Amino acid sequence: MAVAGTTAWAAALAAIVVRCMACGADWPGDRALTSCPTCGGLLDVVTPITGPIDPQRIGAGLQGEIAHSGVWRYRQLLPAIPGGAVVTRWEGHTPLYRDDRLAAWAGLDGGLVRIKHEGHNPTASFKDRGMTVGISHAKGVGARIVACASTGNTSASLASYAAAGGIPALVLVPDGKISGGKLAQTIAYGATVVQIAGDFDAALSLLRELTAKWDVYLVNSVNPFRLEGQKTIVFEMLEQLGWDAPDWIVLPGGNLGNTSAFGKALTELKEVGLISKVPRLAVIQAAGSAPFAAWFRDGYEGYAAVQAETVATAIKIGNPASVLRAKRSLDFSHGVATSVTDDEILDAKAEIDRVGIGCEPASAASLAGLRQLVATGTVKPGERAVCVLTGHVLKDSEAVVNYHLHDVDGQRRDGANRPIRVDATLTALEQALADALHG
Ligand code: F0G
């Protein structure tokens, strides 16, 4: 349902074009649309491409808070939301690490692995990049309340940005199925939290019914403005690489918003001449929640949603909203989709954690997937890959405790790092020191 914008911003927002990817209908960007009013198709914000972009001019001329944002820095390729409506928490500017131990673990001998760590955003996940654009648009159109269904990270981000923008927030989360840290963030930032007796897919479908009926601004990734912000993960990564594209960008897939945004980002970078080669996208799902990977494997025949199951609660999604947009991204980038087991995810996470980088389980699907793709010969050992880590290690401390402190089938896991308890004596401490030094 449309919400009226303030008159000062209405004209600027109405000039933004939102296009249906199914029927091609155009809609003005001054309303809160999350599907095509004519055919129900998925929507894209149309980026006006006016010619080549000068890499030296990126981010030039920004004033005030917005100048600190690693998202709005790329405003030439973002919707022209009036500056006064922008809500920012200085998101983006995340590190791009190089780690040769992780490259070796993935099997890339002679190749290179870089880690784009989106856990270094204000609420510790990549969601903040989309949220600054989504909430700014919500503010621009005069939304009275913003809402999302979430596996935890979107809700934490929404709650923070809604608070920053002074807009009430409503979030639906699957009861008992999101991590304590994410729930804590969402509560702390002041959103109204509704715990649904059902999974994420049920929560999103229920919320879409609510927003179709009531004047509530929906900020899930079916909202095309959110995906605009998420494009900047790719913009920033490639700028950090001097616009020298890697062979692969590997990312976890849940609701497939990021996969959709990454493809759009690459299409636009190619069009404005910032990259000449398009990196291949590899989207990795958790084996128990992998309808898109299965569809890809079957040559896009017979798509079927699934009942989701996985230890990586962030991507425990069986009926992803952006399947068709994700396919478009893989088509454009000559990409691939695959799935990895929970054990593979947890082992990859332990490697990422152990080199001092750290991430939440869903994020580690990227490195686990890369390792599998090298083993099966899809990725060649000499190639260069960027793995995207989508959330911070502290997002899911329960997963760390379970992995390191609990036995599996009565056995301690290889590499489990268990705290040791000692008497408060120097002798006991000296023994611990000797053990630490000699392993
Ligand atoms: N990684 C993390 C840490 C996530 O939180 C999510 C999605 C994804 C990957 C998958 O991204 O949906 O764009 O394919 N989390 C959503 C949420 C669903 O509610 O926080 P996607």
Side-chain angles (χ1 to χ4, degrees), residues 126-127 150-154 253-258 314-315 317 360 362 390:
F126 73 94
K127 303 289 181 180
S150 180
T151 55
N153 281 326
T154 304
N255 217 16
L256 301 173
N258 245 359
I315 51 173
I317 296 174
E360 68 168 287
T390 42

Side-chain angles (χ1 to χ4, degrees), residues 124-127 148-156 172 182 200 220-221 226-227 230 251-260 283 285 313-317 320 322 360-364 388-392 395:
S125 85
F126 73 94
K127 303 289 181 180
C148 73
S150 180
T151 55
N153 281 326
T154 304
S155 58
L172 273 67
K182 296 173 189 177
F200 168 85
N220 277 96
S221 55
R226 249 210 42 207
L227 295 192
Q230 289 173 209
L251 74 160
N255 217 16
L256 301 173
N258 245 359
T259 309
S260 308
V283 53
Q285 295 199 290
T313 52
I315 51 173
K316 191 173 166 191
I317 296 174
S322 287
E360 68 168 287
S363 307
V388 179
L389 300 184
T390 42
H392 197 276
K395 281 287 193 174

Side-chain angles (χ1 to χ4, degrees), residues 360-385:
E360 68 168 287
S363 307
S366 57
L367 186 70
L370 177 64
R371 188 179 206 223
Q372 184 204 84
L373 291 168
V374 174
T376 55
T378 306
V379 175
K380 305 287 175 279
E383 289 189 311
R384 295 181 305 150

Side-chain angles (χ1 to χ4, degrees), residues 69-253:
S69 169
V71 168
W72 294 102
R73 166 179 172 72
Y74 302 100
R75 74 193 185 292
Q76 289 156 288
L77 294 173
L78 295 179
I81 291 174
V86 168
V87 179
T88 174
R89 284 289 192 220
W90 300 22
E91 53 289 318
H93 296 303
T94 62
L96 182 71
Y97 302 124
R98 174 181 169 163
D99 195 290
D100 294 343
R101 289 165 293 185
L102 296 181
W105 187 79
L108 281 190
D109 302 322
L112 210 58
V113 169
R114 284 197 166 83
I115 300 290
K116 181 70 176 151
H117 206 329
E118 288 296 304
H120 289 243
N121 270 294
T123 75
S125 85
F126 73 94
K127 303 289 181 180
D128 297 337
R129 293 190 184 256
M131 211 50 75
T132 181
V133 181
I135 296 299
S136 300
H137 182 252
K139 191 170 166 188
V141 301
R144 289 172 51 215
I145 184 162
V146 290
C148 73
S150 180
T151 55
N153 281 326
T154 304
S155 58
S157 182
L158 173 69
S160 168
Y161 280 75
I167 308 172
L170 174 76
V171 310
L172 273 67
V173 295
D175 192 13
K177 301 195 187 83
I178 74 169
S179 78
K182 296 173 189 177
L183 183 61
Q185 282 182 293
T186 312
I187 293 169
Y189 300 139
T192 298
V193 179
V194 181
Q195 296 182 292
I196 296 279
D199 58 12
F200 168 85
D201 298 299
L204 180 56
S205 135
L206 199 57
L207 185 61
R208 293 194 80 167
E209 273 184 59
L210 186 82
T211 54
K213 196 165 164 200
W214 298 96
D215 210 1
V216 175
Y217 185 103
L218 181 68
V219 202
N220 277 96
S221 55
V222 284
N223 178 326
F225 285 88
R226 249 210 42 207
L227 295 192
E228 290 299 295
Q230 289 173 209
K231 292 187 311 193
T232 65
I233 302 171
V234 168
F235 295 165
E236 190 178 279
M237 162 202 310
L238 287 163
E239 189 174 12
Q240 286 166 325
L241 292 171
W243 305 108
D244 179 16
D247 299 296
W248 293 90
I249 297 175
V250 191
L251 74 160

